[in-house]
Amino acid sequence: VQLQASGGGLVQPGDSLRLSCQLSGGTFESYGMGWFRQYPGKEREFVAFIRRDETKTYYADSVKGRFTIFRNNANNKMYLQMNSPRPEDTALYYCAADGRLHSYSGWYLRSEEYNHWGQGTQVTVSS
């Protein structure tokens, strides 16, 4: 399985940006998928997650109400719509996927629970 993230760039505060993540080499519907971000010198932190059946989405409190995660099973793509971005959203964004069964709820919050990662796309929010 390979993940290819794209869509990052420079955006002004209050504008919008959409990140994409293309999955190849696997059955897309079999994977729960998430977005993480990483600041320089810091650990990756959870941003958003969408279940494989699209019935549930979860967000970090810092992005709730501004970011939307969604997926299109017809084209094997997942997206992160970033509305009203703030300078503190500036980070390297990674998409991740995992198709295994997990024994506890909330597993998706932990980066170590994902076994497939994209290469990262830089988002810079600045005027």
Side-chain angles (χ1 to χ4, degrees), residues 46-59:
F46 171 76
V47 175
F49 174 79
I50 185 166
R51 291 177 60 167
R52 66 186 77 186
D53 59 8
E54 302 182 71
T55 56
K56 286 277 192 179
T57 56
Y58 303 89
Y59 298 92

Side-chain angles (χ1 to χ4, degrees), residues 6-20 35 66-70 79-86 89-91 93 121-126:
S6 61
L10 175 64
V11 61
Q12 293 193 351
D15 280 350
S16 63
L17 191 69
R18 180 177 291 182
L19 306 183
S20 300
W35 288 98
R66 300 187 297 120
F67 292 7
T68 301
I69 187 172
F70 61 102
Y79 303 90
L80 184 70
Q81 179 67 38
M82 304 172 64
N83 293 334
S84 300
R86 303 166 180 167
D89 295 320
T90 295
Y93 283 73
T121 185
Q122 177 67 38
V123 173
T124 301
V125 184
S126 176

Side-chain angles (χ1 to χ4, degrees), residues 4 7 19-20 24 26 33 44 57 82 85 87-88 99 102 112 122:
Q4 179 73 39
L19 306 183
S20 300
S24 60
M33 301 192 70
R44 290 181 191 180
T57 56
M82 304 172 64
E88 55 264 38
H102 295 266
E112 58 265 37
Q122 177 67 38

